[in-house]
Amino acid sequence: MKTSIEIINFHSDYSTIFGDLNIEWLEKYFYVEPYDKKVLTKPKEHIIDLGGFIFFAKHKHQIVGTVALIKQKEGFELSKMAVAPEFRGLKIGQQLMNHCIGFAKDKNWAELMLYSHTKLVPAINLYKKNGFVEVELEKESHYERSDIKMVLKL
């Protein structure tokens, strides 16, 4: 069954949902790091106002997923992808990924990068399926939990 999803741009009304969706999975698998806390509590200030983007997956009138493209020194980082637990397995992550890749291509970006952890097997599989390849992880990543860095050449 394909769930009808609309991908929408950031709206400050959804800032709390952005944080809540991400905190849910972070606390389940890891913990909320100081960098996460900063970005998740004030996404407009720490992502949008710095040249980044946030998208939401909307099902009917409910926000069920989110993803961010965070502007970093070396390019844009695909980050903070989260889907509400009751909507997982419905290909919403893939729809968010498709949107981000299409968006990046429309902007003529050379690549997207991401940081993750190898124990997040479904996420790593999604990234690989979409053409992301593992590259060397710098020693000073802004996430303590990351043990893998991946890049998608566009």
Side-chain angles (χ1 to χ4, degrees):
M1 177 189 98
K2 184 160 163 100
T3 303
S4 174
I5 296 295
E6 177 187 8
I7 307 293
I8 62 171
N9 292 328
F10 176 80
H11 192 285
S12 56
D13 287 353
Y14 301 135
S15 291
T16 303
I17 297 169
F18 175 74
D20 292 347
L21 285 169
N22 276 283
I23 288 168
E24 183 275 328
W25 74 263
L26 284 167
E27 288 180 340
K28 180 176 180 178
Y29 295 103
F30 304 101
Y31 60 94
V32 180
E33 296 180 17
Y35 177 78
D36 298 316
K37 199 168 287 189
K38 178 175 79 168
V39 169
L40 295 174
T41 56
K42 295 183 179 174
K44 183 177 182 314
E45 181 181 328
H46 294 288
I47 298 174
I48 302 296
D49 292 349
L50 299 178
F53 305 88
I54 297 174
F55 304 106
F56 293 100
K58 191 174 184 181
H59 173 64
K60 298 182 180 172
H61 299 290
Q62 180 182 1
I63 299 298
V64 299
T66 190
V67 66
L69 294 171
I70 301 176
K71 189 172 185 181
Q72 303 290 2
K73 283 184 224 107
E74 63 276 12
F76 281 85
E77 174 192 356
L78 185 126
S79 186
K80 307 300 182 230
M81 184 184 292
V83 174
E86 64 272 25
F87 286 88
R88 290 183 188 146
L90 300 175
K91 308 282 186 216
I92 294 168
Q94 181 63 63
Q95 291 179 61
L96 287 163
M97 177 72 71
N98 291 346
H99 185 81
C100 287
I101 292 170
F103 183 86
K105 285 179 177 178
D106 288 347
K107 295 277 189 192
N108 293 313
W109 295 347
E111 65 182 32
L112 286 173
M113 69 180 138
L114 62 83
Y115 295 87
S116 192
H117 194 286
T118 50
K119 83 174 181 180
L120 299 173
V121 175
I124 300 297
N125 288 339
L126 175 67
Y127 305 144
K128 285 180 179 175
K129 182 177 123 185
N130 284 278
F132 281 84
V133 294
E134 185 173 353
V135 297
E136 186 176 351
L137 177 67
E138 57 268 55
K139 290 189 183 356
E140 295 299 318
S141 164
H142 48 270
Y143 300 106
E144 296 167 18
R145 71 179 162 272
S146 63
D147 70 353
I148 187 171
K149 180 178 181 179
M150 301 179 86
V151 170
L152 172 67
K153 299 285 185 196
L154 299 171

